[in-house]
C-alpha cells in the first residue's frame, strides 16, 4: 500500500474520532442544560407519630448532589436512600434516553401543627437547582384538628358508616301496618365488601314484613360522600302499650385503605400533570386496602300502640287499614248441585296478612267450600295491593241470587270499624224438587161437582138352549192329531223359552257373583294400596288427604255394599256406629280434603307432619264393624 493511501486512511479515522467526541460533548452539555429537580410529599396530612416520605427527584443527570440534611423545627428528617430510573422514548429525532434519581427522606413529626419544608438546593455539575417549598399538616393523636380527622375517618367506625331507623309514625293501633326504613351508609373512601349477617330489626311485640333487596344511592351528607343502602319494610304491633323498636345492629366488612401499601406502588409521583395517574391513585376503589369488620348501631325507636275499640262486627277478623271490595259469580246459570265460583277482590292498604275471605250474609240453601286466595302487591313491602278470594258454592235448591258478601275492617284514620257489603249477585239455579201443583183452582165444595152418569151396561145377551145350535164357532174344528198341529209346537216354545231364560239368569247370577267378588277384591286391593301409601312420609297434603278420604269410602262400601263414591262423612260414621269424637274427626277429614281439592294445592305445608299422619292412620284403624 502506498504512503499516500495510508495517510488518507489515518486522516479519515481522526476525523471520525473528532466528530464522535464533539457529539458526546454536545450531548453532555445538553443533558446538563436540560436537568430538572422537584420535590413531593407522599401525604401532605398526617397525625403525630405517623411518618411521611419526602422525595426529591432529579431528571437528566445521574451525578446530582442532593442535600444531606434538612432542618425544620418540629420535624425530624433523615435521608433514607436513592433509587435510579431510566426512561426511554422514541420520537422523530430517534431514541431518547433519560435517567432520573429519586432521593428519599423520612419525615417524622414531633408535634402537631402546620410546617413549611423550605426549598432545597440540588447541584448538578456547576449548576444549582432548587426544589419547591412544601407544606405538611400534622394533627395530634386524638385527631382534634379538622385536617387530622381525615386520617381518622378510615379507622373510626362512626366515621366509616352509619345506620338509621325511620318509622313513618310513632302512634298506631294494634295490627296497623307502619312503613319503616333502615338506611345504611358507608363512606366512599371505605367501600363496603359485605353486610355481614345482614340487616335485622330486633324487638318484641311486633311483626315485620320481609325485606327486599335494598335501593342503593350515592348521597352527600355534611360535605362527605356516602354509599347508602335503603331497606324498606313495615311493622305491625301485636299488643297495646309502649313498644321499643330496634336498635338495628350491623357488622359489615369494609375495605380500609393501606397508606404504606400505596407507597410501594410502581408509579411516578413526580408526573403531576398526568390526570390519569392522579385520578387513579386518588380513587379509593383502586387504592390498596384490607378488609375489616366494623360494628355500627342505630338509635332505638319508641312506638305507642292503642288497642282496637270493643264491639267489633261479627265479620271482623283483624284487618286494619283502608279497603274496597267487588264481587262476581261464574257461571250465573246452573243446575242444583253444580258448583259456582264466587270471586271477591279486596284492594287497598293495610295488613293483608289478616285480610280473610268475606262471609256470606245468608248461607241457607247453599253448600260452601273453603276459599282460596291470591295476593298481588303494588309496593315494596306488601302493605298495598289486591287480594283475590275464590269460593266454590253449590245450591241445594232453586235460587235466584247469591247472598251478599260481608267484609269488616278497622280504619285507623277514621278510628272506627267499617263493614263492606256487596250487592246480591243474580243467578239462575234450576232443578231440584218440583213443588206440588197448586189446588187453588179446585172447587171448594165437592158436592157442587155434577155427578157423572154411569155408563149403561149393555144388556146381556139372552142365553138359551138354542145358542149351541145357532152360534157357530169362528174357527173350524180340526180332527188332526194334537202333535201335528202348529199351535202345539208354538205352545211348546213357552217352556223352552222359560228354560233358556232360567239358564241365562243362572249364568248371569254366576257372572254377577264373580263380578261382585271381583269388585270386592278390587276395592280391598285399592284400600290396601292407599293405606300403604298413607304410611309414606313424602306425600303432598292434597294427595294424602284425598287417599285417606278414599280409604274411608272404600271401607264403608265393603261394609255396607254401597257405591264408594256416594259415601260422605255422615254415612261412614253411621255405617261403623262411630261415637261423637270419631264422627267429628271424619267430618274434619272430609272437610280438609274438600278444601285442598277446591281451594288449590297451595294451602297447607309442603308435606304432612308425622303427628297428623298418626292421627289419620289411627282414625282409619277405628273404622271396623
Amino acid at each position: 500500500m502506498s504512503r499516500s493511501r495510508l495517510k488518507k486512511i489515518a486522516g479519515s479515522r481522526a476525523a471520525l474520532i473528532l466528530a464522535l467526541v464533539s457529539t458526546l460533548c454536545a450531548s453532555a452539555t445538553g443533558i446538563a442544560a436540560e436537568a430538572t429537580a422537584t420535590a413531593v410529599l407522599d401525604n401532605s396530612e398526617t397525625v403525630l407519630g405517623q411518618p411521611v416520605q419526602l422525595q426529591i427527584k432529579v431528571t437528566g443527570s445521574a451525578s446530582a448532589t442532593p442535600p444531606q440534611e434538612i432542618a425544620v423545627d418540629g420535624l425530624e428528617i433523615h435521608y433514607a436512600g436513592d433509587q435510579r430510573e431510566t426512561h426511554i422514548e422514541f420520537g422523530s429525532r430517534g431514541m431518547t434516553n433519560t435517567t432520573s434519581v429519586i432521593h428519599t427522606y423520612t419525615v417524622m413529626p414531633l408535634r402537631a401543627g402546620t410546617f413549611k419544608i423550605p426549598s432545597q438546593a440540588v447541584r448538578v455539575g456547576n449548576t444549582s437547582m432548587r426544589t419547591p417549598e412544601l407544606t405538611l399538616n400534622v394533627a395530634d393523636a386524638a385527631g382534634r384538628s379538622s385536617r387530622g380527622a381525615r386520617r381518622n375517618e378510615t379507622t373510626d367506625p362512626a366515621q366509616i358508616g352509619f345506620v338509621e331507623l325511620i318509622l313513618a309514625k310513632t302512634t298506631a293501633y294494634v295490627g296497623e301496618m307502619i312503613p319503616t326504613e333502615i338506611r345504611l351508609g358507608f363512606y366512599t373512601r371505605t367501600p363496603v365488601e359485605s353486610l355481614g349477617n345482614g340487616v335485622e330489626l330486633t324487638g318484641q311485640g311486633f311483626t315485620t314484613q320481609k325485606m327486599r333487596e335494598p335501593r342503593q344511592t350515592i348521597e352527600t351528607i355534611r360535605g362527605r360522600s356516602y354509599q347508602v343502602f335503603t331497606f324498606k319494610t313495615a311493622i305491625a304491633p301485636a299488643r297495646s302499650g309502649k313498644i321499643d323498636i330496634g336498635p338495628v345492629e350491623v357488622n359489615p366488612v369494609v375495605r380500609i385503605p393501606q397508606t404504606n401499601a400505596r407507597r410501594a406502588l410502581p408509579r411516578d409521583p413526580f408526573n403531576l400533570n398526568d390526570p390519569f395517574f392522579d385520578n387513579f391513585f386518588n380513587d379509593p376503589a383502586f387504592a390498596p386496602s384490607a378488609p375489616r369488620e366494623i360494628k355500627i348501631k342505630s338509635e332505638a325507636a319508641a312506638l305507642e300502640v292503642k288497642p282496637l275499640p270493643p264491639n267489633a262486627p261479627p265479620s271482623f277478623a283483624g284487618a286494619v287499614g283502608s279497603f274496597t271490595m267487588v264481587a262476581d259469580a261464574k257461571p250465573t246459570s246452573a243446575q242444583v248441585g253444580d258448583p259456582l265460583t264466587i270471586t271477591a277482590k279486596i284492594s287497598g292498604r293495610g295488613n293483608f296478612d289478616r285480610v280473610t275471605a268475606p262471609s256470606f250474609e245468608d248461607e241457607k240453601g247453599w253448600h260452601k267450600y273453603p276459599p282460596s286466595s291470591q295476593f298481588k302487591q303494588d309496593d315494596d313491602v306488601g302493605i298495598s295491593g289486591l287480594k283475590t278470594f275464590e269460593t266454590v258454592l253449590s245450591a241445594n235448591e232453586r235460587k235466584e241470587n247469591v247472598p251478599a258478601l260481608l267484609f269488616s275492617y278497622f280504619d285507623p284514620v277514621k278510628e272506627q270499624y267499617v263493614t263492606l257489603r256487596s250487592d246480591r249477585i243474580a243467578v239462575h239455579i234450576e232443578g231440584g224438587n218440583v213443588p206440588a201443583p197448586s189446588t187453588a183452582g179446585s172447587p171448594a165444595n165437592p158436592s157442587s161437582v155434577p155427578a157423572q152418569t154411569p155408563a149403561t151396561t149393555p144388556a146381556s145377551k139372552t142365553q138359551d138352549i138354542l145358542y149351541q145350535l145357532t152360534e157357530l164357532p169362528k174357527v173350524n174344528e180340526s180332527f188332526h192329531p194334537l202333535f201335528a198341529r202348529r199351535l202345539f209346537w208354538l205352545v211348546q216354545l213357552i217352556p223352552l223359552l222359560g228354560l233358556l231364560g232360567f239358564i241365562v239368569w243362572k249364568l248371569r247370577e254366576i257372572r254377577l257373583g264373580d263380578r261382585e267378588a271381583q269388585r270386592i277384591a278390587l276395592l280391598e286391593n285399592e284400600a290396601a294400596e292407599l293405606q300403604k301409601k298413607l304410611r309414606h312420609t313424602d306425600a303432598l297434603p292434597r294427595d294424602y288427604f284425598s287417599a285417606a278420604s278414599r280409604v274411608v269410602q272404600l271401607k264403608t262400601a265393603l261394609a255396607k255394599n254401597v257405591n264408594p263414591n256416594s259415601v260422605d262423612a255422615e254415612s261412614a260414621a253411621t255405617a261403623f256406629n262411630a261415637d261423637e269424637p270419631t264422627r267429628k274427626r271424619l267430618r274434619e277429614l272430609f272437610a280438609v280434603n274438600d278444601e285442598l281439592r277446591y281451594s288449590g294445592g297451595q294451602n297447607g305445608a309442603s308435606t304432612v307432619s308425622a303427628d297428623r299422619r298418626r292421627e289419620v292412620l289411627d282414625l282409619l284403624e277405628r273404622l271396623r264393624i
Side-chain angles (χ1 to χ4, degrees):
M1 183 179 296
S2 63
R3 181 176 296 179
S4 60
R5 180 66 173 173
L6 292 173
K7 287 182 179 181
K8 188 176 180 180
I9 293 174
S12 300
R13 290 180 178 177
L16 181 59
I17 293 173
L18 181 61
L20 181 59
V21 171
S22 300
T23 302
L24 292 176
C25 292
S27 299
T29 304
I31 291 174
E34 295 176 1
T36 59
T38 187
V40 295
L41 289 170
D42 70 336
N43 199 333
S44 62
E45 297 173 350
T46 186
V47 294
L48 190 61
Q50 179 69 39
V52 297
Q53 285 188 352
L54 167 63
Q55 295 180 335
I56 298 177
K57 181 177 181 179
V58 180
T59 303
S61 176
S63 59
T65 303
Q68 296 299 316
E69 294 184 1
I70 302 176
V72 178
D73 185 22
L75 302 178
E76 187 176 300
I77 304 176
H78 297 285
Y79 186 75
D82 58 33
Q83 178 182 358
R84 295 177 181 269
E85 291 183 352
T86 301
H87 184 66
I88 300 175
E89 293 184 355
F90 294 89
S92 58
R93 300 178 60 184
M95 182 180 68
T96 302
N97 186 356
T98 304
T99 301
S100 301
V101 180
I102 301 175
H103 302 273
T104 303
Y105 299 81
T106 299
V107 181
M108 174 64 74
L110 303 179
R111 66 173 183 269
T114 301
F115 300 91
K116 298 290 186 180
I117 300 178
S119 174
Q120 300 296 314
V122 179
R123 295 191 60 81
V124 178
N126 296 326
T127 305
S128 178
M129 298 177 294
R130 303 199 66 85
T131 63
E133 183 184 75
L134 303 176
T135 301
L136 177 64
N137 297 301
V138 181
D140 58 13
R144 288 191 294 266
S145 170
S146 61
R147 297 180 182 272
R150 297 183 182 179
R151 180 172 294 275
N152 290 337
E153 68 190 7
T154 60
T155 58
D156 184 6
Q159 299 290 333
I160 292 175
F162 66 87
V163 57
E164 297 176 342
L165 174 61
I166 304 173
L167 301 183
K169 56 193 307 186
T170 57
T171 303
Y173 282 91
V174 173
E176 181 180 356
M177 301 301 294
I178 304 172
T180 305
E181 280 190 4
I182 299 176
R183 286 167 46 85
L184 185 59
F186 297 96
Y187 187 29
T188 54
R189 290 178 61 88
T190 56
V192 62
E193 186 173 273
S194 73
L195 297 182
N197 296 329
V199 177
E200 293 184 1
L201 188 57
T202 60
Q204 295 181 351
F206 62 91
T207 60
T208 307
Q209 295 290 97
K210 182 180 179 181
M211 295 185 190
R212 292 193 172 185
E213 291 296 322
R215 180 173 59 92
Q216 300 185 36
T217 57
I218 300 296
E219 300 181 17
T220 301
I221 303 174
R222 294 185 296 273
R224 301 176 64 184
S225 181
Y226 286 87
Q227 181 184 12
V228 179
F229 298 82
T230 302
F231 296 85
K232 290 187 177 182
T233 183
I235 62 174
R239 57 175 175 83
S240 59
K242 184 179 179 181
I243 297 178
D244 292 328
I245 311 297
V248 179
E249 298 183 6
V250 188
N251 298 329
V253 177
V254 299
R255 304 224 39 113
I256 304 297
Q258 301 296 299
T259 304
N260 293 334
R262 291 184 63 181
R263 293 175 186 169
L265 286 176
R267 66 185 180 95
D268 186 355
F270 298 94
N271 194 357
L272 304 179
N273 296 324
D274 191 341
F276 171 78
F277 284 101
D278 182 67
N279 294 333
F280 182 88
F281 288 102
N282 287 326
D283 191 345
F286 295 98
S289 58
R292 176 183 172 186
E293 182 182 63
I294 63 172
K295 295 182 179 181
I296 52 179
K297 181 179 179 181
S298 73
E299 297 290 336
L303 182 64
E304 194 66 33
V305 184
K306 297 183 288 186
L308 296 177
N311 303 323
S315 57
F316 177 72
V320 179
S322 178
F323 305 95
T324 59
M325 180 180 67
V326 294
D328 63 356
K330 291 182 180 180
T332 57
S333 179
Q335 297 291 323
V336 171
D338 290 346
L340 300 179
T341 301
I342 311 302
T343 303
K345 297 182 178 181
I346 299 177
S347 59
R349 184 180 179 87
N351 56 346
F352 275 94
D353 56 336
R354 299 298 300 274
V355 173
T356 58
S359 60
F360 289 90
E361 190 174 40
D362 182 12
E363 298 183 10
K364 183 180 179 181
W366 295 92
H367 181 70
K368 184 180 74 171
Y369 294 92
S372 64
S373 64
Q374 183 179 8
F375 176 61
K376 180 180 180 182
Q377 67 184 52
D378 55 12
D379 63 354
D380 294 334
V381 294
I383 63 175
S384 177
L386 172 66
K387 197 167 188 178
T388 304
F389 297 92
E390 290 187 352
T391 305
V392 177
L393 293 181
S394 62
N396 299 328
E397 57 190 23
R398 293 182 178 181
K399 293 289 184 179
E400 296 298 329
N401 52 62
V402 174
L405 279 75
L406 302 177
F407 174 72
S408 298
Y409 65 93
F410 179 76
D411 191 330
V413 178
K414 300 178 180 179
E415 297 187 337
Q416 64 182 12
Y417 292 101
V418 179
T419 298
L420 303 177
R421 184 182 185 276
S422 70
D423 296 331
R424 291 176 175 267
I425 305 173
V427 295
H428 185 62
I429 308 297
E430 297 179 344
N433 296 327
V434 180
S438 174
T439 58
S442 302
N445 186 6
S447 61
S448 63
V449 180
Q452 295 181 356
T453 304
T456 58
T457 302
S460 59
K461 190 176 181 178
T462 304
Q463 299 290 337
D464 53 19
I465 195 170
L466 297 176
Y467 169 76
Q468 298 180 4
L469 299 177
T470 60
E471 293 292 335
L472 298 175
K474 294 181 179 181
V475 180
N476 295 328
E477 296 291 335
S478 173
F479 291 94
H480 289 86
L482 186 60
F483 64 90
R485 296 179 184 180
R486 184 178 181 183
L487 181 61
F488 172 82
W489 293 109
L490 292 176
V491 173
Q492 300 306 311
L493 290 177
I494 295 175
L496 179 61
L497 293 176
L499 178 61
L500 292 176
F502 175 78
I503 294 173
V504 171
W505 177 76
K506 290 299 292 182
L507 292 175
R508 183 174 180 274
E509 285 290 322
I510 296 173
R511 181 175 299 175
L512 289 178
D514 294 339
R515 185 176 299 174
E516 182 66 15
Q518 292 176 1
R519 186 182 73 87
I520 293 174
L522 290 175
L523 294 179
E524 290 176 345
N525 290 336
E526 183 180 359
E529 290 295 327
L530 289 177
Q531 286 182 312
K532 183 186 300 182
K533 180 180 178 181
L534 291 176
R535 293 185 175 89
H536 292 174
T537 60
D538 55 350
L540 297 176
R542 181 173 181 176
D543 297 337
Y544 189 88
F545 288 101
S546 175
S549 302
R550 182 62 178 174
V551 170
V552 174
Q553 292 178 326
L554 293 174
K555 285 194 170 188
T556 305
L558 290 172
K560 296 300 181 180
N561 194 22
V562 295
N563 186 356
N565 296 326
S566 64
V567 175
D568 56 7
E570 296 298 330
S571 60
T574 303
F576 293 98
N577 296 322
D579 54 7
E580 187 58 30
T582 305
R583 188 181 296 268
K584 182 179 179 181
R585 292 171 65 183
L586 285 171
R587 293 195 198 103
E588 292 177 354
L589 176 62
F590 279 79
V592 172
N593 181 42
D594 288 342
E595 179 179 356
L596 295 176
R597 181 173 61 181
Y598 287 98
S599 300
Q602 296 180 350
N603 294 325
S606 59
T607 58
V608 182
S609 65
D611 292 339
R612 188 60 170 155
R613 289 197 305 274
R614 283 194 293 270
E615 292 177 3
V616 173
L617 293 175
D618 178 68
L619 175 62
L620 298 180
E621 289 295 328
R622 291 176 179 268
L623 301 181
R624 295 179 181 177
I625 299 297

